[in-house]
Amino acid sequence: MPRFGLDITLAHPPEFKLMPDVMARAEAEAKAAGVGFEVVDDMDEAFKDADIIYAKSWGCMNHTDDPDEITRITKKYEHWITDDRKMALTKEDSIYMHPLPAERDVEVTSSVMDGKHSVVFDEAENRLHAQKAVMALTMN
């Protein structure tokens, strides 16, 4: 998104480390485009005055194979769910996006997913057409 001129605030739990090469590329894209790129570990901070919420679920399997540790970390961040309270922190005309599938009432509450800010089903429909175009191009 930085290459398209969007300021980004990326929020993730501190235990869920991100790939250094991907982060370096995102930072370089933001610098080249002259936009902001901030990383925080507070969801409320990321939602405050946001135009777009683009949710992606995080998993800790890449960081440990220990099932007990995975369960402990997952339970610690059960509050990392997009809900009406967090969406109220965004701009009035903000949109909520998710690439789907989403775990209802785990990643996002049903009230947000089905609510006035949500464009997830339009996004899914657009994705379908984009995937069909890629298939058509590669099958010729």
Side-chain angles (χ1 to χ4, degrees), residues 72-140:
R72 184 190 70 74
I73 292 171
T74 302
K75 284 186 183 287
K76 181 177 178 181
Y77 292 104
E78 285 179 340
H79 67 282
W80 277 65
I81 182 172
T82 301
D83 57 18
D84 292 315
R85 185 191 67 76
K86 289 184 189 82
M87 287 304 297
L89 299 172
T90 67
K91 292 183 178 173
E92 180 63 31
D93 61 348
S94 67
I95 61 172
Y96 173 79
M97 301 179 74
H98 192 290
L100 297 182
E103 291 184 78
R104 281 180 182 265
D105 302 313
V106 174
E107 295 178 62
V108 56
T109 60
S110 291
S111 61
V112 169
M113 194 161 174
D114 299 327
K116 70 177 186 174
H117 296 281
S118 178
V119 296
V120 297
F121 299 110
D122 291 330
E123 180 181 359
E125 182 181 14
N126 290 338
R127 181 177 172 185
L128 171 67
H129 299 306
Q131 288 172 329
K132 289 190 306 186
V134 169
M135 287 174 54
L137 289 170
T138 59
M139 295 171 114
N140 287 331

Side-chain angles (χ1 to χ4, degrees), residues 40-58:
V40 299
D41 61 8
D42 179 335
M43 267 185 100
D44 285 358
E45 185 178 341
F47 275 68
K48 183 153 178 43
D49 296 323
D51 293 297
I52 302 167
I53 298 298
Y54 190 93
K56 175 71 178 97
S57 66
W58 301 97

